[in-house]
Amino acid sequence: MKKLRIRWERLAPAGLDGKREALWTAGGLGASVLWATGPLFRLLREWRRLAEPTHVSRIMDYFSDIMGSGLAGFPVMWLCLAALAVWHYAYHRQGSRADYTMRRISSRWELHRRCLTIPVVGIVLALALARGLYQLYWWMYLTFTPPECLRDVAIMTVKTIR
């Protein structure tokens, strides 16, 4: 079986280390996912509160309150990656004007591929992770919370799903 080899030097502007940029992007995505574990701990705290026999209110908090700013790392990531794409284009326009050299290459998309691949892939992955985590937390909220403890909006959703 042939091993997949990524040619990182072709995914970043000439003179920049594409592998390093990809690792920084992965690190930012990892930090966003780590930040997004906050709602999980708030869910666990709410379920523990509901299990206490002495607690007065047996109604779960709203899902939006539990989520809070749990997914805030992803929009920050999107902005950073968009700024990275702009910086890649600006990098080609400095010094000896590498964008002129890029225009002489037979592939007319070479400049755009080098400037946009890592930022666009990072943005798509961040969108997928944010959506997946949101849906996972919503599923956990509806599945593991007793129906009598859910708010009206969640009850209507549960009835619609079942």
Side-chain angles (χ1 to χ4, degrees):
M1 187 163 97
K2 188 174 181 180
K3 184 179 177 183
L4 176 68
R5 183 173 177 266
I6 298 175
R7 296 175 59 189
W8 295 106
E9 67 276 1
R10 295 196 55 180
L11 299 178
L16 294 179
D17 187 7
K19 188 172 186 176
R20 180 178 295 155
E21 287 192 8
L23 288 174
W24 274 104
T25 301
L29 289 172
S32 297
V33 169
L34 190 61
W35 181 265
T37 59
L40 178 63
F41 292 114
R42 285 191 287 276
L43 272 171
L44 292 172
R45 186 182 63 226
E46 281 294 310
W47 290 328
R48 192 174 316 120
R49 182 185 62 85
L50 290 176
E52 293 175 1
T54 59
H55 201 276
V56 177
S57 174
R58 292 204 28 94
I59 301 292
M60 187 82 157
D61 278 350
Y62 286 108
F63 182 70
S64 59
D65 293 338
I66 291 172
M67 284 302 291
S69 64
L71 299 179
F74 293 105
V76 171
M77 192 69 195
W78 302 331
L79 290 174
C80 289
L81 288 169
L84 178 65
V86 170
W87 183 74
H88 280 175
Y89 279 107
Y91 178 81
H92 274 290
R93 296 189 60 83
Q94 64 183 333
S96 64
R97 297 292 303 262
D99 59 332
Y100 290 139
T101 305
M102 297 300 285
R103 289 182 190 156
R104 290 188 301 215
I105 296 175
S106 62
S107 172
R108 64 184 289 213
W109 299 106
E110 183 74 16
L111 174 67
H112 304 299
R113 181 175 49 82
R114 287 179 177 265
C115 292
L116 294 176
T117 300
I118 292 174
V120 168
V121 168
I123 288 172
V124 168
L125 286 174
L127 281 169
L129 284 170
R131 181 179 173 129
L133 285 170
Y134 185 86
Q135 288 179 333
L136 173 68
Y137 292 149
W138 178 245
W139 174 80
M140 290 171 64
Y141 178 79
L142 293 179
T143 304
F144 299 118
T145 304
E148 63 271 6
C149 298
L150 289 173
R151 303 256 179 187
D152 293 339
V153 174
I155 291 172
M156 289 187 299
T157 305
V158 170
K159 287 180 182 177
T160 306
I161 292 173
R162 292 181 185 166

